[in-house]
């Protein structure tokens, strides 16, 4: 399976082709300021294209207006050390050295930034030796010097690991004189470890170094705790799809992209995944065309390489593919990390943030302004409203902060989740949804962040904790929850809790000033969260402040059931007040 299909397994969609790719979905990466053309140098791992394709996809989907050029000039068998083992490639040719083509590449391509990944071939699969190590050091140092002299930024990646386990029968032990081609030293990863350590040490001298060797080895060790035969490199050298995804992850994280994790691929045969595959396919095809064209144009000493198109013809074909790529880009939803599963026909991603479990559900077709609804509690209980909005292009999110009643500690986690989601490209304004005790969460967060809220929706919401769980009115309350609430809020006594002045019914001024529209659905016979002690009071106070509030009353209904079988009235209210969808 080709690496370009990795992202196609993430649920994406195509919205109207008339939408322009006019703005980024993530903050600009500081390391790419002033960068247009990125040159990637390396051996067969780079030529394979995996991590380069992932990088190109990431930049095209999140920064479509930048039109970055990512040029892969990896060459199989290549080194920077100039060394070659006896009988390489069956004696057909010695390993090529980057120095032979570097000057031409820099002159012809004129990159703004260069990424280099060398080392796997440079120790020629022998045990560690000082002379080979010095040759590698000189080759890398010369490369950096020439890139900087060409007025380009330089980033180097440590070599990915060598894994002897899947090819143990083909390896050679320590203590022998020669290690012919195809019979690598069994402990060769230790050599790569020394090369990596040296590169990392050069950070102290101003080098931009991204460590691949350590994180990939750590990942393999973790996975082998679950499956003894796990590997990222079935032939010991070349990374598989997951390995390339990890390489790209380390690169992008080093550049300041939001921390990325590995999604769990679940192939789905839907219209949206066909669009995803189309996007990835176009990027991969563009990469393949330009890679072979530039390798042919620049020239090299490696036999057996495919002859590329003339540069002018390749650029023309790449331009046609770019039109397809950037037509798709505006409608692609963010790529969320975590375990992937199905949620009523939508992709659900379970992950963790700020020490809390999180859920993000992705629509099959994202609305242009990337709207979203945040469910405070009781995820998936009576999901009719959530499913309707998902179908209309909303994302659905949830963070599990424990049964903490909207306490300050919970709000800190909510702040972190909001920051993360907006960095990932969701709209800065959202709809808040609170069922029952979820009302405390949504109103407390909205009162502190009124300009970030498009709509508040409450379903039999708790709006005064004296009513529930305190039970100080007509309802029975919940003694155990009342005690826990006092602990969560840090109250020293019940009297302090009863004197609290920031219950939702008492804390509406900022919401009214920001003109936040509110809609509630309530049973007027609610025996748990009495309607008269919660929504009735809030409605009167908010209206006196000039705020807009609509209450849908279910005559004779108690606390349960929540929701409406047909949520259309609530959906229409939310759409009317959501910019770019209906408002």
């Amino acid at each position: 399976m080709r690496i370009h299909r990795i992202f196609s397994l993430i649920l994406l969609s195509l919205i109207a082709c008339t939408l322009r790719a006019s703005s980024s979905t993530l903050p600009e990466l500081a390391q790419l300021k002033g960068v247009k053309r990125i040159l990637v140098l390396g051996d067969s791992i780079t030529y394979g294209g995996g991590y380069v394709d992932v990088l190109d996809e990431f930049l095209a989907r999140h920064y479509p207006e930048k039109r970055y050029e990512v040029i892969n000039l990896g060459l199989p068998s290549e080194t920077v050390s100039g060394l070659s083992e006896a009988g390489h490639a069956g004696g057909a040719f010695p390993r090529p050295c980057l120095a032979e083509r570097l000057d031409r590449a820099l002159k012809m391509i004129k990159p703004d930034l260069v990424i280099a990944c060398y080392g796997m071939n440079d120790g020629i699969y022998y045990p560690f030796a000082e002379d080979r190590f010095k040759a590698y050091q000189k080759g890398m140092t010369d490369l950096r010097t020439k890139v900087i002299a060409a007025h380009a930024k330089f980033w180097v990646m440590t070599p990915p690991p060598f894994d002897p386990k899947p090819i143990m029968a083909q390896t050679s032990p320590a203590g022998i004189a020669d290690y012919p081609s195809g019979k690598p030293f069994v402990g060769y990863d230790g050599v790569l470890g020394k090369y990596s350590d040296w590169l990392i040490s050069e950070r102290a001298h101003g080098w931009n170094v991204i460590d691949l060797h350590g994180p990939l080895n750590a990942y393999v060790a973790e996975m082998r705790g679950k499956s003894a035969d796990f590997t990222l490199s079935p032939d010991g050298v070349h990374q598989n799809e997951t390995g390339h995804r990890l390489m790209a992850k380390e690169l992008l994280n080093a550049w300041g992209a939001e921390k990325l994790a590995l999604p769990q691929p679940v192939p789905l045969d839907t219209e949206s995944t066909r669009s995803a595959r189309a996007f990835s396919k176009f990027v991969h095809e563009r990469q393949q065309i330009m890679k072979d064209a530039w390798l042919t144009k620049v020239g090299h000493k490696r036999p057996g390489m495919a002859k590329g198109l003339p540069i002018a013809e390749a650029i023309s074909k790449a331009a046609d593919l770019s039109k397809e790529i950037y037509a798709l880009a505006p409608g692609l939803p963010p790529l969320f990390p975590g375990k992937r599963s199905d949620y009523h026909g939508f992709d659900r991603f379970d992950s963790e943030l700020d020490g809390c479990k999180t859920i993000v559900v992705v629509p099959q077709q994202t609305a242009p302004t990337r709207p979203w609804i945040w469910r405070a509690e009781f995820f998936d209980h009576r999901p009719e409203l959530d499913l309707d909005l998902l179908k209309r292009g909303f994302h659905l999110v949830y963070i599990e902060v424990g049964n903490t009643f909207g306490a300050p500690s919970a709000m800190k986690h909510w702040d972190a989740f909001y920051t993360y989601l907006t960095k990932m490209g969701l709209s800065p304004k959202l709809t808040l949804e609170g069922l029952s005790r979820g009302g405390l969460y949504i109103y407390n967060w909205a009162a502190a962040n009124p300009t970030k809220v498009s709509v508040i929706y409450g379903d039999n919401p708790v709006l005064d904790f004296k009513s529930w769980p305190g039970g100080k009115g007509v309802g029975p309350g919940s003694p155990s929850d009342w005690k826990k609430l006092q602990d969560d809020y840090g109250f020293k006594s019940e009297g302090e809790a009863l004197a609290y002045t920031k219950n939702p019914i008492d804390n509406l001024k900022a919401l009214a000033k920001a003109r936040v529209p509110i809609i509630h659905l309530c049973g007027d016979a609610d025996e748990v969260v009495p309607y008269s002690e919660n929504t009735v009071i809030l409605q009167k106070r908010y209206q006196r402040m000039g705020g807009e509030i609509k209450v849908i009353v279910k005559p004779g209904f108690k606390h349960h059931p929540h929701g409406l079988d047909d949520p259309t009235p609530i959906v229409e209210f939310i759409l009317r007040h959501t910019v770019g969808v209906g408002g």
Side-chain angles (χ1 to χ4, degrees):
M1 184 185 292
R2 292 179 178 175
I3 187 68
H4 75 271
R5 294 183 60 195
I6 290 178
F7 279 139
S8 69
L9 298 175
I10 305 297
L11 187 63
L12 309 173
S13 66
L14 172 61
I15 62 175
C17 289
T18 54
L19 289 172
R20 293 189 302 114
S22 58
S23 62
S24 301
T25 63
L26 292 177
E28 182 178 5
L29 298 177
Q31 301 299 340
L32 296 188
K33 188 174 182 180
V35 170
K36 169 71 173 177
R37 181 170 279 186
I38 300 169
L39 172 61
V40 188
L41 297 169
D43 48 37
S44 56
I45 297 171
T46 297
Y47 179 80
Y51 74 89
V52 184
D53 283 8
V54 175
L55 171 64
D56 199 4
E57 282 198 48
F58 182 90
L59 297 177
R61 76 178 352 255
H62 289 299
Y63 305 95
E65 80 288 358
K66 298 289 187 181
R67 297 297 197 272
Y68 290 112
E69 291 182 65
V70 181
I71 299 173
N72 183 347
L73 212 66
L75 186 64
S77 307
E78 190 167 68
T79 71
V80 293
S81 64
L83 303 175
S84 185
E85 66 272 39
H88 172 257
F93 59 92
R95 293 186 178 276
C97 181
L98 173 65
E100 185 277 327
R101 65 188 182 112
L102 178 60
D103 291 340
R104 297 193 304 274
L106 295 175
K107 183 178 180 180
M108 293 179 186
I109 295 174
K110 296 180 173 58
D112 303 302
L113 184 148
V114 174
I115 303 166
C117 184
Y118 288 97
M120 181 61 76
N121 298 331
D122 287 274
I124 60 173
Y125 301 92
Y126 273 57
F128 180 80
E130 280 295 336
D131 57 341
R132 288 190 286 272
F133 183 39
K134 289 180 179 178
Y136 176 68
Q137 291 175 307
K138 181 179 186 305
M140 292 302 299
T141 302
D142 290 349
L143 167 57
R144 180 175 181 267
T145 299
K146 289 191 174 185
V147 169
I148 292 173
H151 307 291
K153 298 178 181 181
F154 181 67
W155 285 80
V156 60
M157 300 193 293
T158 65
F162 170 80
D163 185 0
K165 187 162 188 174
I167 59 165
M168 192 62 72
Q170 302 167 37
T171 60
S172 299
I176 59 177
D178 295 311
Y179 294 81
S181 182
K183 293 288 185 179
F185 170 48
V186 68
Y188 188 59
D189 193 55
V191 178
L192 299 182
K194 290 181 181 292
Y195 289 13
S196 299
D197 290 344
W198 169 71
L199 285 173
I200 292 169
S201 74
E202 289 302 300
R203 289 172 177 167
H205 300 110
W207 287 44
N208 297 315
V209 181
I210 300 164
D211 185 22
L212 302 181
H213 190 262
L216 267 64
N217 262 332
Y219 185 83
V220 171
E222 177 186 353
M223 297 306 293
R224 281 188 178 157
K226 303 173 184 178
S227 174
D229 294 328
F230 180 84
T231 186
L232 290 174
S233 46
D235 67 355
V237 173
H238 299 94
Q239 299 295 303
N240 62 14
E241 291 187 48
T242 301
H244 276 280
R245 177 71 176 90
L246 282 166
M247 291 173 69
K249 167 183 174 287
E250 295 301 327
L251 169 59
L252 289 165
N253 286 349
W255 284 356
E258 190 63 37
K259 294 297 182 183
L260 303 172
L262 284 174
Q264 300 297 318
V266 179
L268 298 173
D269 186 17
T270 66
E271 183 61 38
S272 56
T273 55
R274 285 192 287 274
S275 296
R277 290 190 178 98
F279 179 79
S280 296
K281 176 175 176 288
F282 293 144
V283 172
H284 176 76
E285 288 178 356
R286 184 175 66 176
Q287 274 291 324
Q288 196 67 40
I289 289 169
M290 295 308 299
K291 173 172 62 179
D292 289 339
W294 274 115
L295 276 172
T296 301
K297 175 71 174 176
V298 171
H300 54 79
K301 298 293 186 181
R302 210 278 190 189
M305 299 301 294
K307 184 177 181 181
L309 297 171
I311 282 293
E313 185 179 347
I315 289 173
S316 177
K317 287 184 177 294
D320 291 339
L321 289 166
S322 294
K323 291 177 183 177
E324 302 288 349
I325 290 166
Y326 295 119
L328 283 165
L332 303 182
L335 296 170
F336 289 101
K339 181 180 179 182
R340 183 176 176 174
S341 61
D342 177 78
Y343 180 76
H344 300 281
F346 299 93
D347 270 6
R348 166 178 166 166
F349 296 92
D350 287 67
S351 189
E352 186 173 303
L353 181 80
D354 205 32
C356 301
K357 294 179 180 179
T358 63
I359 298 172
V360 176
V361 184
V362 179
Q364 293 181 355
Q365 179 169 315
T366 304
T369 54
R370 301 176 186 267
W372 47 301
I373 182 167
W374 189 336
R375 169 72 79 103
E377 284 281 66
F378 310 111
F379 186 81
D380 198 37
H381 180 69
R382 292 304 303 262
E384 292 86 354
L385 171 66
D386 299 337
L387 297 177
D388 194 306
L389 292 176
L390 279 164
K391 292 174 184 176
R392 297 172 187 269
F394 281 63
H395 284 69
L396 167 65
V397 310
Y398 170 77
I399 183 169
E400 184 179 300
V401 294
N403 182 29
T404 49
F405 311 98
S409 60
M411 295 298 94
K412 290 180 180 178
H413 295 307
W414 273 51
D415 289 339
F417 197 32
Y418 172 86
T419 298
Y420 166 73
L421 291 167
T422 50
K423 281 185 177 180
M424 290 296 288
L426 296 190
S427 169
K429 299 190 75 171
L430 68 147
T431 294
L432 293 169
E433 176 185 12
L435 276 66
S436 191
R437 70 189 68 185
L440 293 172
Y441 296 85
I442 63 173
Y443 273 96
N444 288 351
W445 193 83
N449 302 276
T451 60
K452 299 173 183 176
V453 181
S454 295
V455 179
I456 294 175
Y457 164 57
D459 185 323
N460 288 331
V462 176
L463 305 172
D464 182 352
F465 57 54
K466 297 189 296 296
S467 172
W468 188 95
K472 304 306 179 182
V474 300
S478 172
S480 60
D481 285 314
W482 179 230
K483 183 179 184 305
K484 186 176 187 305
L485 182 146
Q486 293 175 59
D487 292 339
D488 290 336
Y489 275 75
F491 296 134
K492 295 182 175 63
S493 66
E494 182 180 65
E496 186 178 349
L498 294 175
Y500 188 65
T501 60
K502 290 188 178 180
N503 268 291
I505 60 170
D506 305 315
N507 200 20
L508 298 170
K509 188 174 181 180
L511 298 178
K513 183 178 180 181
R515 302 168 64 89
V516 176
I518 297 171
I519 182 168
H520 282 189
L521 175 67
C522 299
D524 62 4
D526 191 329
E527 80 288 10
V528 178
V529 183
Y531 173 55
S532 61
E533 296 173 359
N534 290 272
T535 289
V536 169
I537 295 174
L538 185 140
Q539 181 182 20
K540 290 178 179 178
R541 291 180 178 180
Y542 203 58
Q543 287 174 336
R544 283 201 299 266
M545 293 177 182
E548 178 184 356
I549 179 169
K550 178 179 180 178
V551 179
I552 301 172
V553 178
K554 298 188 291 184
F557 276 70
K558 295 184 176 183
H559 193 62
H560 294 284
H562 288 286
L564 294 173
D565 293 337
D566 179 3
T568 298
I570 305 166
V571 170
E572 289 178 345
F573 186 91
I574 292 171
L575 295 181
R576 189 162 65 248
H577 294 94
T578 301
V579 173
V581 179

